[in-house]
Amino acid sequence: MKNRKRLVSILSGVMAAIMLLTLLLSILPTHASAASSSEIRKQINQLKKEKAELKEKIDDVKDQYQQNENEIADIIARKNVIDQEVQLLSEQITNMNDQLSAYNLLIADKQDELDNAEGLYDQLNEENKVRVRTMEEEGELSYWEVLFKANSFSDLLDRLNMVEEIAASDNRRLKQLSDAADAVEVAQVDLQEEKAEMEETKKELDAAQEEMNAKRKEAEDLLQELLSKADDLEALEAEFQAMDEEFLKEIATKEEEYSAAKQAEWEAYMATYVPPTTAGAGESIDKPASGGTGGTAVGGGWVRPCSYTSITSPFGNRVSPTTGASTYHQGVDLDTGTGWPVVAAKAGRVTVAGYGNAAGNYVKIDHGDGVSSIYMHLSNYCVSAGQMVSAGQQIGTTGATGVATGDHLHFGISVNGVYVNPCNYVAL
């Protein structure tokens, strides 16, 4: 029940995501010219956020699917045990039925023996009565005949002994028959009691089998429910994957629109742009630019770090241009070609010449008095840590290593560990 509620919740989330995606796509501009590059970047970031949320839902569905698979395996194992128990109970019940049939035969045989013994007893008893009565009626033997036909006292005793022996013999036969009938009756009672016990045991086995059948039916129903849920989860994951692909396509389209918008903005900017100086890479600049927002001018000796076509991202707050990039820019991005020379903006000692996940190939120079400069996303560098460099000395070439959307130089200046606006020191 809990899993079912969770699945319903996910399905509701899917429908909401689909509606949100539909709404989002409907309000996005159709042509790059309809929105600025910053607006398109916001749209891209929103799409990436929705895509990340969708990824969480996909992972959640996969977790549920794995949990469902584990539950299916457990149910199958339980069902196999129940099937084995039902099979054993069925075999026991079959054996009980065979024993009951045997008991019925034995009881029937004992009943026949009892009937025969009782019938023979009654027959002998009746014959004995008839014989004595006939002898008396025909005068063949009577107590008077025993008394008055005796020739002597000795003969009288013999005659009395004969009568007693005949009577005793008849009585013994009747007693034996009676004892035999009693034994048969006792055996019959014992068989009836054993049969009753077996019938009671059979009832218990029947009840146990019925309970097992109910459990097996419950396991089969639950298994079917889990299999149906697995199908639903597979379909849901496929739908999510399709949505994820749509997000990727839309993001790719927006990235193209973003590039086109940036190009259009740059062309519009360059149409009215008046450069503050014609100095190229490495040329001296005696006076820092005005209007910066981070730091104080520290004097001359600074040179432009490279030739460039435009400042694509100024110092300060901004919309992150790509995943992994900062929203507060601690330098300026100078748009360049690939492999353009990069020089030290001021004399100093190289403290870092290496690679960072975000910065790519980069060089950092200590100029003294707590002032340092940094040069990121180089295609390569030609200095090493500890090396002294002079202003205008080449330290590397431009590129797009690390987190970058294209070839450019990220140029930054820090004072006592705090990044300041480079435009306060170098006229860019």
Side-chain angles (χ1 to χ4, degrees):
M1 181 64 70
K2 186 181 294 183
N3 288 335
R4 189 178 300 171
K5 289 182 178 178
R6 189 178 183 189
L7 182 59
V8 171
S9 176
I10 290 178
L11 289 172
S12 300
V14 173
M15 296 306 297
I18 292 173
M19 294 177 64
L20 179 60
L21 177 60
T22 303
L23 178 61
L24 183 61
L25 295 179
S26 67
I27 64 175
L28 291 178
T30 303
H31 303 289
S33 60
S36 66
S37 61
S38 61
E39 290 173 339
I40 295 175
R41 176 54 61 188
K42 289 179 181 179
Q43 294 168 4
I44 292 174
N45 291 339
Q46 179 63 28
L47 286 171
K48 289 182 177 180
K49 179 182 177 182
E50 294 293 331
K51 184 177 181 299
E53 293 174 354
L54 181 63
K55 176 65 166 55
E56 292 179 359
K57 289 184 172 67
I58 292 175
D59 292 340
D60 187 46
V61 169
K62 288 181 177 179
D63 291 341
Q64 285 196 65
Y65 185 85
Q66 184 59 50
Q67 180 181 354
N68 192 70
E69 287 290 300
N70 294 337
E71 291 181 8
I72 288 175
D74 291 341
I75 290 298
I76 291 176
R78 284 168 50 194
K79 184 176 178 297
N80 288 337
V81 172
I82 292 174
D83 288 341
Q84 293 176 10
E85 292 179 351
V86 169
Q87 180 62 30
L88 290 175
L89 285 172
S90 297
E91 292 175 0
Q92 292 181 24
I93 291 173
T94 300
N95 181 267
M96 282 288 182
N97 287 329
D98 292 340
Q99 291 186 53
L100 288 173
S101 297
Y103 271 109
N104 287 331
L105 292 175
L106 289 174
I107 291 171
D109 291 340
K110 290 297 181 182
Q111 185 63 48
D112 291 339
E113 293 180 17
L114 180 61
D115 292 342
N116 291 335
E118 290 178 345
L120 185 56
Y121 176 84
D122 293 339
Q123 180 182 350
L124 289 176
N125 189 36
E126 185 62 31
E127 289 177 354
N128 183 55
K129 292 178 180 179
V130 171
R131 181 169 55 79
V132 172
R133 187 168 56 253
T134 301
M135 290 174 62
E136 290 180 349
E137 290 175 354
E138 295 179 354
E140 294 179 359
L141 179 63
S142 66
Y143 288 104
W144 294 108
E145 184 179 3
V146 171
L147 293 174
F148 293 108
K149 288 188 177 182
N151 296 326
S152 62
F153 183 72
S154 174
D155 186 30
L156 175 62
L157 292 176
D158 291 338
R159 288 176 179 271
L160 289 174
N161 287 335
M162 180 183 66
V163 173
E164 291 176 356
E165 287 178 4
I166 293 173
S169 176
D170 289 340
N171 288 333
R172 281 195 301 272
R173 290 188 64 190
L174 292 173
K175 180 65 168 63
Q176 290 174 352
L177 289 172
S178 177
D179 291 342
D182 292 341
V184 170
E185 187 174 2
V186 170
Q188 188 181 38
V189 171
D190 292 340
L191 288 173
Q192 291 285 3
E193 291 177 352
E194 292 178 10
K195 178 185 176 183
E197 292 177 359
M198 292 200 69
E199 287 177 342
E200 193 64 30
T201 302
K202 182 176 178 297
K203 289 181 182 179
E204 294 175 0
L205 290 175
D206 287 338
Q209 185 179 36
E210 185 176 350
E211 181 180 355
M212 285 294 177
N213 288 334
K215 288 183 179 179
R216 179 165 59 183
K217 179 64 166 57
E218 180 181 354
E220 289 174 350
D221 292 343
L222 181 57
L223 181 60
Q224 290 301 318
E225 180 180 347
L226 291 174
L227 290 174
S228 177
K229 180 183 176 183
D231 293 339
D232 292 341
L233 289 172
E234 286 182 354
L236 185 58
E237 183 181 356
E239 184 176 350
F240 279 167
Q241 293 292 356
M243 292 176 61
D244 188 62
E245 292 178 3
E246 289 299 321
F247 272 122
L248 287 175
K249 292 178 182 178
E250 186 62 24
I251 290 172
T253 300
K254 288 300 169 184
E255 289 287 1
E256 293 178 359
E257 293 180 7
Y258 173 78
S259 298
K262 289 290 290 184
Q263 181 65 29
E265 290 168 1
W266 166 242
E267 292 174 356
Y269 171 76
M270 289 302 295
T272 58
Y273 175 68
V274 178
T277 179
T278 58
E283 296 185 14
S284 297
I285 298 173
D286 294 330
K287 182 180 179 181
S290 61
T293 59
T296 305
V298 295
W302 291 92
V303 299
R304 182 177 287 115
C306 71
S307 297
Y308 63 95
T309 59
S310 67
I311 297 177
T312 56
S313 182
F315 181 86
N317 292 317
R318 67 171 181 175
V319 176
S320 176
T322 186
T323 302
S326 65
T327 55
Y328 184 83
H329 202 209
Q330 296 179 329
V332 293
D333 286 347
L334 306 177
D335 193 14
T336 70
T338 304
W340 291 12
V342 176
V343 302
K346 190 177 183 180
R349 182 176 60 87
V350 177
T351 56
V352 179
Y355 183 85
N357 290 333
N361 294 320
Y362 75 104
V363 172
K364 189 172 185 180
I365 302 175
D366 181 7
H367 305 293
D369 294 329
V371 180
S372 296
S373 60
I374 191 166
Y375 314 79
M376 298 183 182
H377 310 302
L378 305 175
S379 59
N380 57 63
Y381 48 84
C382 55
V383 292
S384 58
Q387 180 179 341
M388 298 299 298
V389 294
S390 59
Q393 178 179 340
Q394 184 171 352
I395 59 175
T397 55
T398 59
T401 58
V403 179
T405 58
D407 292 309
H408 71 285
L409 173 68
H410 172 95
F411 175 57
I413 295 177
S414 64
V415 178
N416 296 323
V418 178
Y419 281 99
V420 298
N421 191 342
C423 293
N424 285 351
Y425 300 87
V426 179
L428 297 172

